[in-house]
Amino acid sequence: MRIDVVSIFPEYLAALDLSLIGKARRENLLDLNVHDLRDYTHDRHRTVDDTPYGGGAGMVMKPEPWAAALGRIATESPVAKGSGDKPILIVPSPAGAVFNQEMAYELAEAEHLAFACGRYEGIDERVIESAAEAFDVRPVSIGDYVLNGGEVAVLAMVEAIGRLIPGVIGNPESLVEESHSDGLLEYPVYTKPATWEGREVPEVLLSGNHGKIARFRRNKQLERTAARRPDLIVQLDVATLNRHDRDTLWHSGFAIVDGKIVAKGEAGQV
């Protein structure tokens, strides 16, 4: 996969040289390129912003340097010309679709991703419109809050996407039972020693009984998700739940009514 990131703070992306993503770059599993937007300016002050039309606070990023940077990236894209496909341009924005694990899996299949790190009040909207000629443009949010720029969001997304590329994670089985991989949060994990500061590892995990361990972990997934992310519980497919799952959900405050999972209070349950 090729990844291009455009930013006025390219040093912000230095963390992508660390850990597994850095290792993937060195092993050529990821062709990751960071571009300084100011390299695409043509004035002495390397200006990338100006005042907004219509008034208002803050500054808006100018279209000319963005068009030049994205134009070069599009020209260098490994996506075959005439194939009908386009490289994907992700624009981090609190006004975008919310990034999640499902989206990470989808984007991990792409041949070429580009990220446009906005700053100030954002990028001139005409850049987004123009870029759609060469890119599949997707405004994406990592949550319902506002950051100073897109760099932090890009770090999060590149790590979430990059680790799903074959070969990046040493043991691919570790991806299977992670939070959100099946719509639930991950179960709690433990390691040696079995007793630490008076706290014991759950006995079932020491039993060697794989069936009981699997049931324990599944129960903990359901309980943890019900307590922390009830919005995920109500999205579960009832048809995938066995009798034990349903019992766990009942004791966690949820009922199944008319084929749907609802909080007991909403179902009129006590």
Side-chain angles (χ1 to χ4, degrees), residues 38 41-49:
R38 296 189 190 276
T41 60
H42 301 287
D43 66 305
R44 184 174 52 146
H45 300 291
R46 307 180 80 200
T47 306
V48 296
D49 62 312

Side-chain angles (χ1 to χ4, degrees), residues 103-119:
M103 187 186 296
Y105 272 108
E106 177 196 354
L107 294 174
E109 298 290 332
E111 185 177 2
H112 184 193
L113 299 177
F115 294 84
C117 298
R119 281 268 158 178

Side-chain angles (χ1 to χ4, degrees), residues 13-34 168:
L13 287 305
L16 295 176
D17 278 328
L18 304 176
S19 190
L20 291 176
I21 299 300
K23 183 172 181 286
R25 294 179 73 178
R26 292 187 290 275
E27 294 179 352
N28 296 318
L29 296 173
L30 279 175
D31 176 15
L32 200 156
N33 309 277
V34 179
V168 173

Side-chain angles (χ1 to χ4, degrees), residues 6-260:
V6 184
S7 168
I8 61 170
F9 296 117
E11 61 274 19
Y12 216 125
L13 287 305
L16 295 176
D17 278 328
L18 304 176
S19 190
L20 291 176
I21 299 300
K23 183 172 181 286
R25 294 179 73 178
R26 292 187 290 275
E27 294 179 352
N28 296 318
L29 296 173
L30 279 175
D31 176 15
L32 200 156
N33 309 277
V34 179
H35 308 265
D36 186 344
L37 181 65
R38 296 189 190 276
D39 289 342
Y40 297 89
T41 60
H42 301 287
D43 66 305
R44 184 174 52 146
H45 300 291
R46 307 180 80 200
T47 306
V48 296
D49 62 312
D50 209 332
T51 55
Y53 278 121
M59 303 290 277
V60 175
M61 301 194 88
K62 294 167 62 67
E64 297 92 343
W66 274 109
L70 295 177
R72 175 181 173 184
I73 291 170
T75 299
E76 297 177 351
S77 177
V79 176
K81 303 297 186 292
S83 66
D85 295 328
K86 295 179 179 179
I88 297 173
L89 174 63
I90 297 172
V91 184
S93 167
V98 177
F99 184 77
N100 56 24
Q101 191 70 6
E102 181 180 0
M103 187 186 296
Y105 272 108
E106 177 196 354
L107 294 174
E109 298 290 332
E111 185 177 2
H112 184 193
L113 299 177
F115 294 84
C117 298
R119 281 268 158 178
Y120 316 123
E121 296 304 308
I123 302 170
D124 188 307
E125 187 66 21
R126 293 170 294 180
V127 173
I128 311 303
E129 296 169 0
S130 175
E133 297 177 9
F135 294 91
D136 175 1
V137 181
R138 304 188 189 184
V140 176
S141 168
I142 61 167
D144 295 335
Y145 47 86
V146 179
L147 300 168
N148 287 331
E151 289 80 9
V152 169
V154 168
L155 288 173
M157 287 189 279
V158 169
E159 179 149 322
I161 295 164
R163 65 194 300 277
L164 300 177
I165 295 171
V168 173
I169 296 292
N171 181 5
E173 292 183 8
S174 65
L175 300 173
V176 176
E177 296 181 337
E178 293 180 320
S179 290
H180 305 293
S181 61
D182 60 355
L184 297 171
L185 303 184
E186 190 175 8
Y187 50 77
V189 295
Y190 304 85
T191 187
K192 301 176 181 64
T195 301
W196 175 73
E197 295 190 354
R199 300 175 185 273
E200 305 285 342
V201 170
E203 186 174 348
V204 65
L205 298 180
L206 308 177
S207 69
N209 188 318
H210 297 296
K212 288 184 177 180
I213 290 172
R215 185 66 251 167
F216 170 82
R217 287 174 168 171
R218 175 70 172 178
N219 287 346
K220 289 301 181 182
Q221 278 190 283
L222 292 164
E223 292 168 1
R224 175 176 279 186
T225 307
R228 300 180 184 178
R229 292 291 305 276
D231 58 305
L232 297 178
I233 290 291
V234 298
Q235 296 176 35
L236 293 175
D237 182 355
V238 173
T240 65
L241 304 176
N242 61 31
R243 175 175 57 84
H244 300 291
D245 294 337
R246 293 169 186 242
D247 287 344
T248 300
L249 288 177
W250 174 264
H251 291 295
S252 299
F254 290 87
I256 298 175
V257 179
D258 297 328
K260 296 181 179 179

